[in-house]
Amino acid sequence: MIRRAALLLAALWTAPAAGAVDCSDVAYEGNRYSICEVDAAQEQLQLFLKDGEGQVYGHFSTLEEALAKDGKTLAFATNAGMYHTDRSPVGLYVDENGEEMRLVTNAGPGNFGLLPNGVLCIRGSRADVFETLAFEKAAPGCTYATQSGPMLVIDGDLHPRFLPDSDSYYIRNGVGTSADGKRAVFAISRNAVTFHQFGSLFRDYLKLPNALYFDGNISRLHAPQLGRSDAGFMMGPVAAVVEDAGPGE
């Protein structure tokens, strides 16, 4: 009995703690996705755009190099919001450097202006996707915020403009959050999908009441768990989970 108890204690002592970022490849309704789920109550979920000298990070590798100087590393990252050709945010953007761009509430061209659009708000130990007008009314104090569009899921309903028989297929990425703000789930399609298919992933498969579209073909993912760190053209805002670098990293 004593030996069994000792073995049990040893197993508990040596077992690795479950990570609060969990990335996996899944299939749903004939489409393939990479999904990273973040426990917003435990992880350092942040937004990044520019370094201390005002230079846009633009690439996962550039951000990793900057974090390494402070003994940090990226556990996960993805592009997080639409931007202009100079990489400046189209809508509201807030990070540790302050507010880069104000909230935009009017309709406009492109996917961003396909109202309703929304805001990812990170504050304290939670993350929430708000529809833009609801965000304006609630005025939550966000440590980090990024506006994008369109909304994919709004209080459990798909965006009213999404059509089941749409022929608009693209690689797409976005984020959904749980009602209690603890789950922030980031997804990127691994094959071209419609808005209706992508929204259905968040509502019906991930069971999230609110979800926000980030972007299309330029979408990229950094997920060491999946052996993936996409390269390409410079990005604008980036959502990332930052961790302390381990020995030798």
Side-chain angles (χ1 to χ4, degrees), residues 29-48:
E29 295 291 327
N31 295 304
R32 297 172 296 118
Y33 302 92
S34 292
I35 293 173
C36 288
E37 181 160 344
V38 177
D39 185 334
Q42 295 187 45
E43 290 298 290
Q44 297 181 57
L45 179 58
Q46 303 177 41
L47 294 175
F48 295 92

Side-chain angles (χ1 to χ4, degrees), residues 150-169:
M151 288 286 287
L152 297 168
V153 185
I154 311 153
D155 295 330
D157 293 324
L158 293 183
H159 192 290
R161 298 282 296 275
F162 292 173
L163 303 175
D165 58 352
S166 171
D167 60 0
S168 178
Y169 285 84

Side-chain angles (χ1 to χ4, degrees), residues 10-235:
L12 291 173
W13 178 259
T14 57
V21 181
D22 184 19
C23 296
S24 60
D25 289 328
V26 304
Y28 177 66
E29 295 291 327
N31 295 304
R32 297 172 296 118
Y33 302 92
S34 292
I35 293 173
C36 288
E37 181 160 344
V38 177
D39 185 334
Q42 295 187 45
E43 290 298 290
Q44 297 181 57
L45 179 58
Q46 303 177 41
L47 294 175
F48 295 92
L49 179 61
K50 297 178 179 178
D51 62 21
E53 298 179 354
Q55 298 299 308
V56 175
Y57 288 110
H59 303 281
F60 298 137
S61 58
T62 306
L63 180 54
E64 278 204 295
E65 290 172 6
L67 291 170
K69 297 175 182 177
D70 295 322
K72 304 288 185 178
T73 189
L74 287 177
F76 147 82
T78 189
N79 58 293
M82 296 179 182
Y83 50 87
H84 298 292
T85 55
D86 64 355
R87 275 57 189 178
S88 62
V90 173
L92 177 70
Y93 181 81
V94 179
D95 64 15
E96 291 181 340
N97 296 319
E99 183 178 285
E100 179 80 14
M101 176 59 186
R102 63 176 176 81
L103 187 71
V104 176
T105 58
N106 55 290
N111 289 325
F112 181 92
L114 184 62
L115 302 185
N117 56 21
V119 177
L120 171 64
C121 171
I122 303 167
R123 51 191 166 139
S125 58
R126 65 181 297 150
D128 298 276
V129 167
F130 289 88
E131 184 274 326
T132 293
L133 296 183
F135 176 88
E136 184 180 41
K137 182 178 180 179
C142 308
T143 306
Y144 303 93
T146 182
Q147 185 181 10
S148 192
M151 288 286 287
L152 297 168
V153 185
I154 311 153
D155 295 330
D157 293 324
L158 293 183
H159 192 290
R161 298 282 296 275
F162 292 173
L163 303 175
D165 58 352
S166 171
D167 60 0
S168 178
Y169 285 84
Y170 289 96
I171 298 294
R172 304 185 190 273
N173 81 314
V175 61
T177 55
S178 59
D180 62 7
K182 293 182 180 179
R183 291 178 67 209
V185 186
F186 298 82
I188 183 170
S189 65
R190 298 174 63 207
N191 58 269
V193 296
T194 66
F195 270 131
H196 192 278
Q197 291 170 332
F198 198 45
S200 297
L201 171 81
F202 285 95
R203 185 189 65 176
D204 302 331
Y205 181 80
L206 297 172
K207 307 295 184 183
L208 296 169
N210 290 287
L212 178 65
Y213 178 65
F214 278 152
D215 221 321
N217 281 343
I218 61 91
S219 299
R220 296 203 291 283
L221 176 69
H222 173 86
Q225 288 184 19
L226 304 178
R228 176 174 177 176
S229 187
D230 302 338
F233 293 112
M234 285 185 67
M235 297 174 285

